[in-house]
């Protein structure tokens, strides 16, 4: 029997609460499926670790998780530590060296969840955003000089490589092909950014030729926000740069009902390194320790992990269990307007996993 090794990195804020819930649910689904096992190793990296050791993770941190089959991540972010330190010291310190270049963010209105869009009642909004996750505006190229003087200057260079753009386009066209509508929207800003975004568009056209069965269109990112709100049914698979997709995916999550539900996979499609799965909501310090964090984002991310393992039956079972639970409004956490607690939602999903009809 295959046993998958999972590195759990709860991180900060509500991260530990939702990762604990995620591990419970994953263990329940493995037990119910019976065809595979899980070994979960926990790494207490993040803000508290930083306060003790002056870094977010140990120097050999990546070596400790390199051999795992996947990473389950909670969140990085701490009220006492600047965000760019927590981010670059942990999350990007894993994503970038492990070459998790395809960030995949499915968005759907789950049963029982209300979209803020009047005309959306479920099927009108079913998207997957593919975010370039290794370069672009997050390349980390730039600098700051003359600090403290009136001549102070700073740059953040958005760096795009042909190899980086080709591989994310190929990934996105491939994903679009695997979905029933076979339709991709390429988000750009080549009207204003006349170098990298023009190359981005050219490469999209080139890669499109490899996928004659996929229809695609191109959308400027500003106009894209309008289309997401006004004509959500005209979208399916979406590919965008690191920063554009960061912004669009928050919009997508909230249009689907709550940031608390939205999942992410940071994939290294070649499987040279482990891929990382995480809810997109962040550390949410305002509700930390209250037991009311919505664990659904972590559960849905766990579905993506099981799919990545090739455990399709278990993944589908967990997704059905999630949808059964969201369908019952008594099990909604406060972000969804309810009064349920993390533990109630977790127990209900585990019940549903063991239930005969799920
Ligand atoms: C996300 C988050 C991160 C990002 C933050 C925490 C830096 O917003 O995963 O979307 O911008 O990548
Ligand atoms: Mg974001």
């Amino acid at each position: 029997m295959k046993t998958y090794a999972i590195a759990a990195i709860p991180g900060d804020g509500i991260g530990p609460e939702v990762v604990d819930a995620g591990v419970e649910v994953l263990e329940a689904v493995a037990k119910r499926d019976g065809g595979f096992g899980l070994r979960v190793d926990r790494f207490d990296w993040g803000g508290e670790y930083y306060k003790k050791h002056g870094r977010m993770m140990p120097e050999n941190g990546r070596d400790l998780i390199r051999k795992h089959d996947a990473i389950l991540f909670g969140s990085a972010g701490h009220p006492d530590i600047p965000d760019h330190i927590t981010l670059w010291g942990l999350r990007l310190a894993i994503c970038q060296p492990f070459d998790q270049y395809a960030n995949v963010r499915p968005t759907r209105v789950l049963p029982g969840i209300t979209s803020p869009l009047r005309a959306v009642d479920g099927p009108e909004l079913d998207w997957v955003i593919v975010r370039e996750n290794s370069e672009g505006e997050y390349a980390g190229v730039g600098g700051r000089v003359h600090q403290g003087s009136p001549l102070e200057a700073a740059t953040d260079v958005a760096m795009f490589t042909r190899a980086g753009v080709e591989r994310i386009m190929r990934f996105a066209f491939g994903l679009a092909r695997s979905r029933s509508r076979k339709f991709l929207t390429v988000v750009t800003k080549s009207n204003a950014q006349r170098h990298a975004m023009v190359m981005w568009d050219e490469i999209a056209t080139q890669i499109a030729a490899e996928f004659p069965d996929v229809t695609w269109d191109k959308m400027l990112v500003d106009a894209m926000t309008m289309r997401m709100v006004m004509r959500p049914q005209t979208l399916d698979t979406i590919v965008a740069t690191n920063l554009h997709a960061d912004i669009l995916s928050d919009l997508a999550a909230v249009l689907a009902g709550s940031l608390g539900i939205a999942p992410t996979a940071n994939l290294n499609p070649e499987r040279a390194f482990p891929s990382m799965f995480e809810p997109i909501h962040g550390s949410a310090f305002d509700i930390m320790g209250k037991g009311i964090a919505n664990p659904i984002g972590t559960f849905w991310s766990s579905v993506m992990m099981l799919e990545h393992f090739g455990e399709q039956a278990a993944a589908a079972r967990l997704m059905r269990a999630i949808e059964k639970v969201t369908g019952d409004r008594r099990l909604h956490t406060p972000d969804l307007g309810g009064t349920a607690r993390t533990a109630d939602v977790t127990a209900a999903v585990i019940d549903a996993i063991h239930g005969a009809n799920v």
Side-chain angles (χ1 to χ4, degrees):
M1 186 170 83
K2 170 82 185 163
T3 296
Y4 299 102
I6 300 173
I9 307 177
D12 301 315
I14 59 171
E17 297 164 55
V18 293
V19 166
D20 284 349
V23 168
E24 265 187 71
V25 158
L26 274 166
E27 278 168 351
V29 85
K31 194 162 151 210
R32 162 76 206 243
D33 190 274
F36 65 95
L38 299 173
R39 191 192 86 220
V40 180
D41 300 320
R42 209 184 153 91
F43 298 89
D44 289 321
W45 301 338
E48 293 309 319
Y49 186 95
Y50 181 89
K51 286 184 164 172
K52 278 188 225 121
H53 305 278
R55 42 186 311 138
M56 294 290 289
M57 63 193 259
E59 215 169 332
N60 67 342
R62 277 190 302 275
D63 294 332
L64 301 177
I65 57 176
R66 190 181 299 273
K67 292 269 167 350
H68 285 74
D69 294 292
I71 303 161
L72 182 63
F73 191 85
S75 95
H78 195 283
D80 307 336
I81 309 170
D83 285 340
H84 65 274
I85 292 184
T86 53
L87 179 69
W88 283 92
L90 190 57
R91 192 169 162 278
L92 291 183
I94 295 171
C95 279
Q96 294 202 346
F98 281 179
D99 210 13
Q100 295 164 348
Y101 64 85
N103 181 287
V104 181
R105 302 187 161 187
T107 312
R108 221 148 41 78
V109 185
L110 298 186
I113 307 290
T114 313
S115 167
L117 294 177
R118 262 199 316 270
V120 167
D121 191 21
E124 301 82 2
L125 198 164
D126 182 355
W127 306 332
V128 188
I129 298 181
V130 176
R131 171 180 180 181
E132 200 297 314
N133 210 33
S134 67
E135 54 177 36
E137 308 86 348
Y138 284 60
V141 177
R144 197 160 162 194
V145 290
H146 307 311
Q147 287 193 44
S149 112
L151 293 177
E152 180 166 0
T155 58
D156 272 298
V157 178
M159 188 190 67
F160 290 82
T161 62
R162 170 163 284 276
V165 178
E166 282 182 359
R167 67 184 184 175
I168 199 65
M169 288 297 170
R170 213 164 261 130
F171 181 89
F173 274 98
L175 184 63
R177 172 184 270 169
S178 75
R179 289 168 56 88
S180 60
R181 288 168 71 186
K182 299 191 193 311
F183 178 63
L184 178 70
T185 298
V186 176
V187 177
T188 184
K189 190 64 193 172
S190 50
N191 55 346
Q193 297 186 299
R194 58 198 176 140
H195 308 297
M197 287 291 86
V198 173
M199 181 177 86
W200 171 270
D201 292 3
E202 284 170 14
I203 293 175
T205 307
Q206 283 164 20
I207 301 297
E210 296 172 18
F211 296 84
D213 53 333
V214 175
T215 23
W216 69 289
D217 63 6
K218 203 165 77 177
M219 210 62 214
L220 296 172
V221 65
D222 46 351
M224 182 67 174
T225 59
M226 263 194 299
R227 180 165 166 192
M228 287 168 72
V229 173
M230 302 305 289
R231 294 183 294 132
Q233 68 288 353
T234 68
L235 295 164
D236 188 76
T237 310
I238 298 160
V239 64
T241 72
N242 216 329
L243 183 62
H244 291 166
D246 174 42
I247 298 165
L248 295 180
S249 60
D250 266 29
L251 176 60
V254 85
L255 293 179
S258 169
L259 207 55
I261 290 175
T264 304
N266 299 280
L267 299 179
N268 173 252
E270 291 73 30
R271 295 168 191 262
F273 299 98
S275 292
M276 180 157 82
F277 301 83
E278 55 170 346
I280 82 165
H281 50 59
S283 43
F285 273 93
D286 51 327
I287 58 161
M288 174 176 93
K290 294 190 177 155
I292 55 166
N294 191 344
I296 298 289
T298 306
F299 298 165
W300 195 346
S301 303
S302 303
V303 170
M304 298 182 83
M305 180 189 287
L306 293 168
E307 285 168 349
H308 183 69
F309 291 160
E311 299 294 347
Q312 304 302 346
R317 183 187 300 281
L318 177 52
M319 198 65 217
R320 288 194 300 272
I322 290 169
E323 294 188 22
K324 182 163 183 225
V325 168
T326 61
D328 180 348
R329 286 175 202 268
R330 287 166 308 179
L331 291 167
H332 286 188
T333 42
D335 57 299
L336 295 171
T339 54
R341 306 181 56 80
T342 314
D344 303 329
V345 182
T346 308
V349 169
I350 291 173
D351 258 11
I353 288 167
H354 292 300
N357 56 349
V358 182

